[in-house]
Amino acid sequence: MSTRDFLDLIRRKPFVPLRVITSDGTVYEITHPDLVMAGLSSVIIGYPSEQEPHAYSRYDIVSLQHVVRLEPREEPAEA
């Protein structure tokens, strides 16, 4: 998976939620663009805070080498 592929999906207007599937089968749900940050070799994926759903309370760092699939969902996210 390339950084460009990742950035293209998270920068879509309007943003469309997506799933990130990794080589070990872990699935991450990206519900808002503020919860993910793409780097050259990894992505930081945040888990939304209960108090503020567009801010993360904790995060995982995922190597782009292990991202095997991005699945955009059909409906755009609510603003």
Side-chain angles (χ1 to χ4, degrees):
M1 177 64 49
S2 74
T3 301
R4 174 58 40 210
D5 293 335
F6 215 95
L7 288 172
D8 287 346
L9 280 176
I10 62 174
R11 290 181 175 166
R12 279 176 68 173
K13 300 289 184 201
F15 175 75
V16 175
L18 63 131
R19 288 183 184 91
V20 177
I21 294 93
T22 64
S23 57
D24 70 356
T26 303
V27 176
Y28 296 95
E29 296 284 341
I30 309 297
T31 57
H32 193 275
D34 290 346
L35 296 174
V36 62
M37 186 168 53
L40 295 177
S41 62
S42 62
V43 293
I44 297 171
I45 300 175
Y47 295 91
S49 163
E50 288 183 22
Q51 296 82 14
E52 175 53 59
H54 297 169
Y56 62 82
S57 57
R58 61 187 182 88
Y59 61 89
D60 285 343
I61 300 173
V62 180
S63 171
L64 285 170
Q65 284 184 295
H66 294 288
V67 175
V68 296
R69 192 166 68 246
L70 299 176
E71 295 180 350
R73 296 184 2 208
E74 296 301 317
E75 69 282 356
E78 294 181 24

